[in-house]
Amino acid sequence: MSEQRSGCPINLTLEALGDKWSLLVIRDMMFGNRRHFRELLTKSEEGIASNILADRLKRLLEAGFVSRADDPSHKQKAIYSLSEKAIQLVPLLAHMGAWGARHTDATHTLSVRAHLLEQGGPAFWDAFMDELRVGHLGAAPKGTGPSASAQMQAAYEKAMKGVKQ
Amino acid sequence: MSEQRSGCPINLTLEALGDKWSLLVIRDMMFGNRRHFRELLTKSEEGIASNILADRLKRLLEAGFVSRADDPSHKQKAIYSLSEKAIQLVPLLAHMGAWGARHTDATHTLSVRAHLLEQGGPAFWDAFMDELRVGHLGAAPKGTGPSASAQMQAAYEKAMKGVKQ
DNA sequence: GTAACTGCTTGCAATCTAGGATCGGTAGAT
DNA sequence: ATCTACCGATCCTAGATTGCAAGCAGTTAC
């Protein structure tokens, strides 16, 4: 983990996030607003194992992608938040979603958010990132227009109606 | 390999390319113009092992990211080419490079191409993708302005001068 | 003829991953 | 007070993946 293979930025990004789970955890925190261990564990679309989730959260913590805080409502509960570093992955995830929706057999309903992100473009991403900063970093809300996350959630729920999966 | 965990486009992209080597192979073919097995093996910045390279090329072939053709100059030589599907990863790799250059300790020289790609934006990516289609898919050249790949190569070589690694 | 080069395979040890049961502690309802 | 559900993990085991070094048969240049 400590030694790096090369100083290429693509390689280093891959070393940080290039496994099958890390980005999915970030995706769930980002788009699904999962903030607790159990939420990430049980509401995971892909069914992550608890030891893998614990390991990934630990790595993401050490690498500065997420931070951890105690939940005042429950002494054993922890709240995980995305860092600025992770929030800046939004354009990357938007492109991944767009590419996947076009070139893999992704289901229509699960691609709804990806399409919205793609059509929205950089301006929409920026709005969404600002909302994440409010929810995860405690930034002051900018409050312009309809919420980007609300738009995505509404579109997703609309697509879910009548369609199983 | 065959069963998929979910129909989410991000997950499916990750299942196809979410390991530590596949994207590096594509990167080398794309930006380093490595087209033969030995080139990919020995000129790799990160030092990929031959069995891993063989395995990844096989998977990338099966998944339709690359194609393989005989090299007329040598009966045992193979030429690997990127497919349209892989060429459309250019924006993704551009974002990965940009993110990595900003948030990891990537070396300055190796980040030169990433910066150029970021500053160039979608128009530059499109030009580069068109050039890839010429070199890999046999498309007709569009020939407008200075070549995007030549610009990146020139910037990289300039940065290399006087700086070891 | 021989030496270097071609894409690729094999054997092996070490590491990483996945699934499931389990842990000690907490909280709310009865 | 006691039962039940929940909390973030951890442990164990088996299986898959990885990395390294060596080796392969066929091809080409000298």
Side-chain angles (χ1 to χ4, degrees):
Chain A
M1 183 60 58
S2 53
E3 83 240 57
Q4 59 189 51
R5 301 180 295 190
S6 88
C8 166
I10 291 178
N11 172 55
L12 289 168
T13 304
L14 230 32
E15 288 190 15
L17 300 167
D19 73 274
K20 301 222 183 269
W21 290 111
S22 299
L23 262 184
L24 293 185
V25 172
I26 291 176
R27 176 204 62 181
D28 282 350
M29 291 181 69
M30 200 173 264
F31 300 104
N33 201 33
R34 313 276 152 74
R35 306 294 293 271
H36 302 289
F37 190 94
R38 285 283 156 172
E39 283 182 324
L40 287 163
L41 185 67
T42 59
K43 295 182 186 170
S44 158
E45 189 84 26
E46 290 84 13
I48 190 171
S50 61
N51 56 345
I52 305 289
L53 176 57
D55 179 73
R56 289 310 182 280
L57 281 173
K58 191 174 141 201
R59 287 195 204 185
L60 291 174
L61 263 168
E62 286 166 0
F65 286 96
V66 306
S67 64
R68 200 195 124 112
D70 291 334
D71 187 332
S73 80
H74 190 304
K75 283 194 179 172
Q76 281 191 319
K77 230 169 170 176
I79 302 178
Y80 292 96
S81 299
L82 295 171
S83 69
E84 176 64 25
K85 187 173 168 180
I87 290 173
Q88 289 191 17
L89 290 170
V90 164
L92 191 58
L93 285 164
H95 273 286
M96 282 189 69
W99 187 92
R102 188 167 293 132
H103 295 284
T104 71
D105 53 350
T107 58
H108 175 69
T109 31
L110 289 176
S111 300
V112 165
R113 287 196 208 81
H115 287 135
L116 210 59
L117 271 170
E118 187 180 13
Q119 286 159 19
F124 188 76
W125 306 341
D126 283 339
F128 181 52
M129 286 164 73
D130 277 334
E131 289 172 32
L132 289 174
R133 288 187 189 103
V134 173
H136 290 256
L137 303 176
K142 298 203 173 180
T144 51
S147 150
S149 42
Q151 278 182 260
M152 282 191 282
Q153 190 59 22
Y156 172 63
E157 281 167 12
K158 185 181 170 192
M160 277 292 279
K161 272 187 193 162
V163 186
K164 196 67 178 178
Q165 265 273 26
Chain B
M1 183 59 57
S2 52
E3 83 239 57
Q4 61 188 48
R5 300 181 294 189
S6 87
C8 167
I10 291 179
N11 173 56
L12 289 168
T13 305
L14 230 32
E15 287 189 15
L17 300 167
D19 73 274
K20 300 221 184 271
W21 289 112
S22 299
L23 262 184
L24 293 184
V25 172
I26 291 177
R27 177 204 62 183
D28 283 349
M29 292 181 68
M30 201 172 261
F31 300 104
N33 201 32
R34 313 276 152 73
R35 307 293 292 269
H36 303 288
F37 190 94
R38 285 283 158 174
E39 283 182 323
L40 286 164
L41 185 66
T42 59
K43 294 181 187 171
S44 157
E45 188 85 28
E46 290 83 13
I48 190 171
S50 61
N51 56 345
I52 305 288
L53 176 58
D55 178 73
R56 290 308 183 280
L57 281 172
K58 191 175 142 203
R59 289 194 201 186
L60 290 174
L61 263 169
E62 286 167 359
F65 286 96
V66 306
S67 64
R68 202 195 121 111
D70 292 333
D71 186 332
S73 80
H74 190 303
K75 283 193 180 171
Q76 280 191 317
K77 231 168 170 177
I79 303 179
Y80 292 96
S81 300
L82 295 170
S83 69
E84 176 64 25
K85 187 174 168 179
I87 291 173
Q88 290 191 15
L89 290 170
V90 165
L92 192 58
L93 285 164
H95 273 286
M96 281 188 70
W99 187 92
R102 188 167 294 132
H103 295 283
T104 72
D105 53 350
T107 59
H108 175 68
T109 30
L110 290 177
S111 301
V112 165
R113 287 196 209 80
H115 286 136
L116 210 59
L117 271 171
E118 188 180 11
Q119 285 159 21
F124 188 77
W125 306 341
D126 283 339
F128 181 53
M129 286 164 72
D130 276 334
E131 289 171 32
L132 289 174
R133 288 187 188 101
V134 174
H136 289 258
L137 303 177
K142 298 204 172 178
T144 50
S147 149
S149 43
Q151 279 181 258
M152 281 192 282
Q153 191 59 24
Y156 172 63
E157 281 167 10
K158 185 180 170 194
M160 278 292 279
K161 272 188 192 161
V163 185
K164 196 66 178 176
Q165 267 276 23

